[in-house]
Amino acid sequence: MESLKVSDANMVVYVHPSKSNNIYDAILRELSSMLFKFHENFDGVMLAYEFNILDKNARILNGMHPYIAVKLKAKLLLFSPKPNMLLEGKVVKITQGSIHVVVLGFSSAVITDEDIRDEFVHKIKHGEELFCSKFHKRHVIKVGSMIQFLVKSMDEDVLHISGSLVPENTGSLHWLANHLEGFRVNDSVKKRKKNEEASVLQDPGSSVSGEALSINNEHRIKKSKGKRRKTES
């Protein structure tokens, strides 16, 4: 999927001194609170992470409520859909004027009738609403179908996507894989690019100074709560 990318990030996580006896758990809680939210610094929604502590001597920041600043080197899996990207999702609802989709199990998308190409006609069969192609009887979109659609826009606050089925390379993944020349379901996976530019997550205006706190545990932490979607073939 074009919207998925892996990014290397240099981060600073701030931990309350009361958590100094268990720095790793505190870092995990902090990073976990960032999952499934859009972050401008990373230009995407964090789905999973893996990190290493860079400096074994964390610094306690001066102030009335001092915090321990821990520098991390992290690898982030980000969901960053942009206009004209192709996304894949599961249809969860169909009405006469819209198709509702869930992407990666957490982000909702809607495709309204103005963005559904004329090839598709709304029908009701055996009490089930669906869209059928006028030219290809087996090209059907119904609840449960995996579809490929084009991104028009995304509301970053609520992670809601506006999509389109106007291009010819959009529609049921199963039908496209079997009938569209040169189409492969996992082509988009091969196009994933690693973002080589490091992102920095810092509290603006703060600086690292003061007493050093030694961190002795050299354990590597991997945390992933993103839902993995099985690619249909």
Side-chain angles (χ1 to χ4, degrees):
M1 192 181 295
E2 291 178 297
S3 59
L4 291 177
K5 64 180 181 180
V6 176
S7 178
D8 292 325
N10 295 317
M11 305 174 66
V12 177
V13 173
Y14 300 96
V15 178
H16 193 276
S18 64
K19 307 297 183 182
S20 60
N21 290 332
N22 203 335
I23 292 290
Y24 286 95
D25 282 351
I27 293 173
L28 286 176
R29 282 193 293 271
E30 181 67 24
L31 293 182
S32 294
S33 70
M34 298 170 64
L35 292 172
F36 304 108
K37 298 177 183 177
F38 184 87
H39 301 278
E40 291 186 2
N41 288 345
F42 306 132
D43 189 29
V45 179
M46 188 190 299
L47 301 183
Y49 59 81
E50 178 180 298
F51 72 89
N52 285 310
I53 293 178
L54 292 178
D55 191 352
K56 302 300 180 181
N57 294 313
R59 298 286 179 176
I60 298 179
L61 305 180
N62 294 327
M64 293 184 62
H65 300 285
Y67 277 75
I68 301 168
V70 185
K71 294 182 180 181
L72 308 177
K73 180 70 173 181
K75 189 178 293 290
L76 310 176
L77 176 62
L78 301 171
F79 176 59
S80 183
K82 304 294 182 185
N84 298 320
M85 279 187 175
L86 291 171
L87 287 187
E88 299 166 9
K90 184 176 183 179
V91 177
V92 294
K93 181 181 178 181
I94 287 180
T95 68
Q96 186 172 358
S98 62
I99 298 174
H100 298 260
V101 182
V102 171
V103 180
L104 296 175
F106 75 94
S107 182
S108 63
V110 64
I111 304 165
T112 58
D113 55 354
E114 63 181 11
D115 294 308
I116 300 174
R117 62 182 182 270
D118 293 338
E119 171 188 347
F120 290 107
V121 178
H122 178 266
K123 293 184 179 181
I124 299 178
K125 289 187 177 181
H126 308 294
E128 181 182 22
E129 296 189 73
L130 42 82
F131 278 91
C132 300
S133 169
K134 292 186 293 185
F135 312 124
H136 310 283
K137 293 183 179 180
R138 294 188 178 182
H139 194 175
V140 177
I141 297 174
K142 58 184 179 179
V143 172
S145 296
M146 291 296 297
I147 66 171
Q148 177 166 277
F149 64 95
L150 196 72
V151 176
K152 290 183 62 182
S153 63
M154 176 177 176
D155 186 328
E156 297 167 351
D157 293 329
V158 295
L159 305 183
H160 183 77
I161 300 167
S162 175
S164 170
L165 285 176
V166 173
E168 293 295 327
N169 61 342
T170 59
S172 165
L173 274 177
H174 180 73
W175 190 92
L176 292 172
N178 287 285
H179 296 86
L180 190 64
E181 185 177 355
F183 180 88
R184 291 192 181 91
V185 174
N186 61 355
D187 273 353
S188 58
V189 177
K190 298 177 182 179
K191 295 178 182 178
R192 294 178 193 171
K193 295 180 180 179
K194 181 178 179 181
N195 183 5
E196 296 180 353
E197 295 181 359
S199 302
V200 179
L201 180 65
Q202 286 184 304
D203 186 8
S206 67
S207 60
V208 179
S209 61
E211 180 183 352
L213 180 71
S214 177
I215 300 175
N216 297 319
N217 194 338
E218 297 183 356
H219 185 62
R220 190 182 186 195
I221 301 293
K222 183 175 183 180
K223 184 78 172 179
S224 175
K225 291 188 178 181
K227 296 182 180 180
R228 299 179 181 271
R229 176 187 52 74
K230 292 184 179 179
T231 306
E232 190 175 43
S233 58

